[in-house]
Amino acid sequence: AVVHAKMAEVERKATTVKDVPADVFIREYSLHLKRSGLLTLPKWVDLVKTGTNKELAPYDPDWYFVRAASLARHIYLRGGTGVNSFRKVYGHNSRKGTAPSHFVRANGGLIRHILQQLEKAKVVEKAPKGGRRITSTGQRDLDRIAGKIRNRK
């Protein structure tokens, strides 16, 4: 039994983003993006709405980093995803009072701006067939943070 315990310690499996819960990973990666200074916040970050169905800007002051972390995770899991697909992912129902609700896509300019920032940070790159894909340095960073989360448990 002692031999098996030592072998289990030696055989450490690599941790990927798929191995950790999404909410915990997005929170940790957004803190990493904020601390590292990889992304530069636009001056309109506190004024912009995330979609036409919203009345106000997000209340969380770090929402830009959270959205960037969510986009990076999504591209990691499914490469080749473009701005229009993300507009569908982050869209919501638009409530129209007594009239029936309808689905409205999210703000595309905002998603495009975040993806361009992630490209400058060398986390994602444009895919040859369209959309974005994760770079090797981006994958290494995301896996490193996933490993930190897994080791903490």
Side-chain angles (χ1 to χ4, degrees), residues 44-82:
W44 43 260
V45 75
D46 57 339
L47 304 172
V48 71
K49 301 189 310 180
T50 57
T52 56
N53 58 322
K54 302 290 185 182
E55 288 188 16
L56 299 170
Y59 290 125
D60 183 9
D62 296 333
W63 71 269
Y64 191 85
F65 298 108
V66 173
R67 180 63 57 96
S70 175
L71 284 166
R73 180 184 176 276
H74 199 96
I75 292 170
Y76 181 99
L77 298 176
R78 188 181 176 107
T81 311

Side-chain angles (χ1 to χ4, degrees), residues 17-138:
V17 173
K18 295 178 181 181
D19 299 328
V20 294
D23 58 335
V24 178
F25 176 79
I26 290 171
R27 190 176 335 111
E28 284 295 318
Y29 192 58
S30 65
L31 287 172
H32 168 73
L33 290 174
K34 184 177 180 182
R35 276 183 259 148
S36 64
L38 290 172
L39 304 181
T40 55
L41 286 177
K43 57 185 173 223
W44 43 260
V45 75
D46 57 339
L47 304 172
V48 71
K49 301 189 310 180
T50 57
T52 56
N53 58 322
K54 302 290 185 182
E55 288 188 16
L56 299 170
Y59 290 125
D60 183 9
D62 296 333
W63 71 269
Y64 191 85
F65 298 108
V66 173
R67 180 63 57 96
S70 175
L71 284 166
R73 180 184 176 276
H74 199 96
I75 292 170
Y76 181 99
L77 298 176
R78 188 181 176 107
T81 311
V83 174
N84 217 19
S85 298
F86 284 124
R87 288 186 69 198
K88 291 178 206 163
V89 169
Y90 294 106
H92 288 299
N93 272 345
S94 177
R95 295 171 53 192
K96 300 173 182 268
T98 57
S101 299
H102 292 285
F103 183 80
V104 177
R105 293 180 179 198
N107 186 343
L110 173 67
I111 293 169
R112 191 174 303 107
H113 188 271
I114 293 173
L115 289 174
Q116 289 167 352
Q117 290 283 317
L118 289 172
E119 278 182 38
K120 285 181 187 172
K122 306 259 191 282
V123 176
V124 298
E125 63 186 3
K126 289 191 176 176
K129 292 186 177 180
R132 303 293 204 288
R133 68 179 181 194
I134 203 88
T135 62
S136 58
T137 57

